[in-house]
Amino acid sequence: MELELSAEERSMLAGGFGPGVRKAMEIVVALGRVYGALRLVPVGSVQVAGVSYRNLGEAGLEFLREWADQSARVCVPTTLNPAGMDLRAWRELGFSERFARRQLSVIEAYQRLGVRATCTCTPYLVGNVPHKGAHVAWAESSAVSYANSVLGARTNREGGPSALAAGITGRTAAYGLHLDENRRALLRVVVRCPVRTLSDFGALGYLVGKAARNRVPYFVGLEVGAGLPLSYSDAALKALGAAMAASGAVPLYHVAGVTPEADRPDVLAPDHETLVVDDLQPAYAALNSDVHGNRIDLVWCGCPHASLEEIAEVVRLLAGRRVKTPLWITTARETREQARAEGLVAAVEDSGGRVVADMCVVVAPMQELGFRTLATPSAKGATYVPSHTGLQVRYGTVEECIEAAVTGVWSG
Ligand code: F3S
């Protein structure tokens, strides 16, 4: 059986909608053929990754500009992943003029394509919230995990160009996680140890991601929200999914009694295997670099981008104390605006910290800023920071990270 296209889709492919749409449809169709899709499905929204100039370089910027010159425009709501710097406060944070100019050109190219410059990996916190069962085309592994698992939407883990192509055509190929049969769990995960803090959820995700090997996990015995403030449940799921995405490219998971597809009668495939997790310490050990000394140059919270509740929690832990080590909380600009309205940005700044918008440390030119060691409560951040930025990492709870910011040393 071959991929079947509608008359409109065939016309897009033949250039009837212009060269930019033809290029996009060629990408969508090529992927569909590679993965054996039988049809395309309309997408309700798109999340595009590949934003930092550090990763894109001149070639990537040229690619985007060329597509925009061909009059390609997205036709569904399309949001954008974090950039390599705060688009407004880059100078105060120490980013170079040269990098800033190129980064702003990338954003401009995306805007010409009709993409909303949200610059966040939590599009679901700034209005891009697909409903259960909706087909979407999202890039950004942690957002893909959240969309599939917590919202019950359907997306494969798109790459930057394929997500953009889906935005321009309004279609994606129906394969992988768009199909019921691929959303069943092949790994039953029995959790037998306490999972209390956000970093515990990250540690659990790190271990399960390592063991999953492309299988969808189904958690039993995992209490989400127990021991945490209620509003932290979403943050816990966000941390769990992001960690699994980072350590094992897991794009979907189910949690019994919690996530929207977990009660499907056939959610667990008959040939599933079982994994028992009774100790999170191996994850804490693996996620801490072999750092000499306890000095920390930067404390980073907000990976994935912080929600309002997570920013409020940092303010609570700071308790008005001054930090000795730079503290950055990364978040969406829209979330930052809400935090500012609630006095949270002022509270963080009064303590000497920063609520940084638009960016992700992992894709930023961090070594140019002189940082060598970083502490974070994010398992995804701790997984990627050493290989992507060259910085060494301390991984621990939000409390331990804030104490490190206040005292200037790691004592976790
Ligand atoms: Fe987001 Fe960057 Fe973390 S994209 S999930 S802040 S590694």
Side-chain angles (χ1 to χ4, degrees):
M1 294 252 271
E2 286 250 314
L3 176 67
E4 221 171 276
L5 300 179
S6 68
E8 191 185 36
E9 290 159 358
R10 282 199 302 275
S11 172
M12 287 183 186
L13 194 59
F17 288 69
V21 175
R22 183 181 60 212
K23 189 200 293 190
M25 191 49 108
E26 281 169 357
I27 294 172
V28 172
V29 165
L31 280 170
R33 290 195 173 129
V34 165
Y35 289 104
L38 300 179
R39 64 191 174 101
L40 306 185
V41 284
V43 290
S45 76
V46 166
Q47 164 80 3
V48 174
V51 184
S52 173
Y53 178 73
R54 181 169 165 254
N55 297 346
L56 282 176
E58 268 324 284
L61 174 56
E62 246 346 277
F63 176 81
L64 293 172
R65 282 177 166 161
E66 212 174 273
W67 220 346
D69 288 344
Q70 292 171 331
S71 302
R73 298 291 178 267
V74 297
C75 62
V76 294
T78 302
T79 45
L80 198 58
N81 231 31
M85 64 178 199
D86 185 308
L87 299 183
R88 295 188 197 163
W90 55 268
R91 208 185 295 271
E92 295 155 45
L93 294 170
F95 291 97
S96 71
E97 183 100 33
R98 189 194 165 273
F99 180 78
R101 257 192 284 115
R102 306 319 282 157
Q103 181 63 81
L104 291 171
S105 298
V106 171
I107 302 299
E108 195 185 288
Y110 274 120
Q111 284 173 321
R112 283 181 59 210
L113 288 158
V115 178
R116 256 181 82 201
T118 44
C119 295
T120 182
C121 49
T122 56
Y124 46 87
L125 295 180
V126 297
N128 186 353
V129 194
H131 60 79
K132 185 179 173 194
H135 294 283
V136 298
W138 283 20
E140 167 45 37
S141 63
S142 72
V144 165
S145 167
Y146 196 92
N148 277 316
S149 316
V150 183
L151 302 176
R154 297 180 168 219
T155 179
N156 288 316
R157 188 170 157 158
E158 301 289 347
S162 72
L164 194 49
I168 291 166
T169 59
R171 316 277 205 288
T172 193
Y175 67 93
L177 295 177
H178 291 284
L179 307 178
D180 271 351
E181 61 265 31
N182 298 323
R183 300 179 68 84
R184 301 175 76 190
L186 277 163
L187 185 66
R188 181 170 165 267
V189 181
V190 182
V191 182
R192 291 223 179 104
C193 53
V195 183
R196 294 202 180 95
T197 63
L198 291 187
S199 56
D200 281 354
F201 277 90
L204 174 65
Y206 175 84
L207 294 175
V208 174
K210 285 274 177 211
R213 295 193 310 276
N214 289 327
R215 293 172 294 178
V216 174
Y218 175 84
F219 289 89
V220 291
L222 180 60
E223 288 184 46
V224 180
L228 297 167
L230 198 58
S231 57
Y232 252 41
S233 300
D234 284 348
L237 294 172
K238 175 159 83 88
L240 177 70
M244 279 189 285
S247 70
V250 174
L252 165 66
Y253 64 91
H254 306 290
V255 182
V258 177
T259 56
E261 290 175 55
D263 57 358
R264 259 177 60 176
D266 62 345
V267 67
L268 209 47
D271 52 342
H272 69 267
E273 286 177 14
T274 295
L275 169 76
V276 176
V277 180
D278 49 18
D279 184 9
L280 300 179
Q281 280 318 307
Y284 280 93
L287 287 168
N288 271 279
S289 307
D290 191 12
V291 182
H292 297 297
N294 285 337
R295 206 190 92 176
I296 298 292
D297 296 333
L298 177 68
V299 174
W300 176 35
C301 299
C303 168
H305 274 178
S307 63
L308 209 53
E309 289 78 13
E310 289 172 275
I311 300 172
E313 177 66 0
V314 171
V315 169
R316 189 185 71 76
L317 292 169
L318 282 168
R321 296 173 296 166
R322 293 285 303 173
V323 296
K324 282 198 182 128
T325 296
L327 163 68
W328 289 8
I329 309 166
T330 46
T331 190
R333 184 155 299 278
E334 214 170 299
T335 309
R336 188 183 190 281
E337 280 308 302
Q338 293 165 9
R340 196 177 56 80
E342 296 194 10
L344 297 170
V345 173
V348 172
E349 288 176 353
D350 286 348
S351 287
R354 303 286 309 237
V355 180
V356 178
D358 313 317
M359 69 166 278
C360 161
V361 161
V362 166
V363 297
M366 295 304 289
Q367 283 207 323
E368 282 176 24
L369 306 187
F371 298 123
R372 295 290 175 269
T373 51
L374 171 154
T376 182
S378 163
K380 180 178 175 185
T383 302
Y384 284 155
V385 160
S387 55
H388 286 61
T389 69
L391 272 67
Q392 293 188 306
V393 171
R394 293 287 194 182
Y395 176 65
T397 63
V398 184
E399 285 84 345
E400 286 166 341
C401 290
I402 299 306
E403 285 312 304
V406 170
T407 60
V409 291
W410 182 256
S411 55

